Amino acid sequence: MNNNDIFKKLRVALQLRDDQIAEIMQLVDFRISKAELGAFFRAEDHPNYMECGDQVLRNFLNGLIIHLRGTKENPKNAMDVINENRAQLKSATKKIVPKENVKKPAPKAPGKNFKPKKVESKVNPVEKVRFNNGKNKKA
């Protein structure tokens, strides 16, 4: 198991989004973009896959401790933080329910001067062609 697998499993187990992981990294003054995080979570055969280094994983774990437990001055309960993350995840993934009483615009009636198009009988285009079989007609 490599660092990428550990990082993926922690993300899934704690139900963290990429922006939350970036905030956790900020707690230990380690800046990382969402694109770099996405590269860690890709499949190994993907062209943009990037190996997660020890420093990245170490800073994530240190930031995770601060995120879940808080600091000595301001301690937190870890389960409260995890439940809060779950609530945010559920509210972000709620499906939008369409309104039932939405009135659709009525179809427009034809205008006063409306004249329907004349429908021509379909003529095979080959019937319009005249062949002279290479003979010049003298008039």
Side-chain angles (χ1 to χ4, degrees), residues 89-109:
L89 187 65
K90 286 181 183 178
S91 66
T93 59
K94 270 189 177 176
K95 293 182 180 178
I96 299 172
V97 179
K99 295 179 182 177
E100 293 179 17
N101 296 332
V102 176
K103 293 183 180 179
K104 294 182 181 178
K108 293 183 179 179

Side-chain angles (χ1 to χ4, degrees), residues 55-88:
Q55 182 181 9
V56 175
L57 188 61
R58 183 184 70 233
N59 283 313
F60 173 70
L61 293 173
N62 288 336
L64 189 62
I65 291 169
I66 295 171
H67 176 71
L68 293 177
R69 294 185 192 167
T71 58
K72 286 184 179 180
E73 298 82 29
N74 187 14
K76 297 180 188 175
N77 184 359
M79 287 309 294
D80 292 341
V81 175
I82 292 172
N83 290 333
E84 188 176 307
N85 285 345
R86 284 184 187 156
Q88 287 178 356

Side-chain angles (χ1 to χ4, degrees), residues 11-129:
R11 184 183 85 169
V12 171
L14 298 172
Q15 298 177 348
L16 297 172
R17 296 187 316 262
D18 287 346
D19 58 336
Q20 291 174 326
I21 293 173
E23 290 173 8
I24 289 171
M25 297 282 215
Q26 285 284 343
L27 294 174
V28 290
D29 297 327
F30 189 81
R31 290 179 183 83
I32 192 165
S33 68
K34 289 182 189 178
E36 289 175 302
L37 285 173
F40 295 141
F41 300 130
R42 295 184 189 278
E44 290 184 24
D45 58 343
H46 194 279
N48 293 340
Y49 171 80
M50 193 166 61
E51 192 72 33
C52 180
D54 293 336
Q55 182 181 9
V56 175
L57 188 61
R58 183 184 70 233
N59 283 313
F60 173 70
L61 293 173
N62 288 336
L64 189 62
I65 291 169
I66 295 171
H67 176 71
L68 293 177
R69 294 185 192 167
T71 58
K72 286 184 179 180
E73 298 82 29
N74 187 14
K76 297 180 188 175
N77 184 359
M79 287 309 294
D80 292 341
V81 175
I82 292 172
N83 290 333
E84 188 176 307
N85 285 345
R86 284 184 187 156
Q88 287 178 356
L89 187 65
K90 286 181 183 178
S91 66
T93 59
K94 270 189 177 176
K95 293 182 180 178
I96 299 172
V97 179
K99 295 179 182 177
E100 293 179 17
N101 296 332
V102 176
K103 293 183 180 179
K104 294 182 181 178
K108 293 183 179 179
K112 293 180 182 177
N113 298 330
F114 176 73
K115 295 180 184 175
K117 293 183 180 179
K118 294 181 181 177
V119 179
E120 295 180 18
S121 62
K122 294 183 180 179
V123 178
N124 191 350
V126 176
E127 293 177 6
K128 295 180 183 178
V129 178

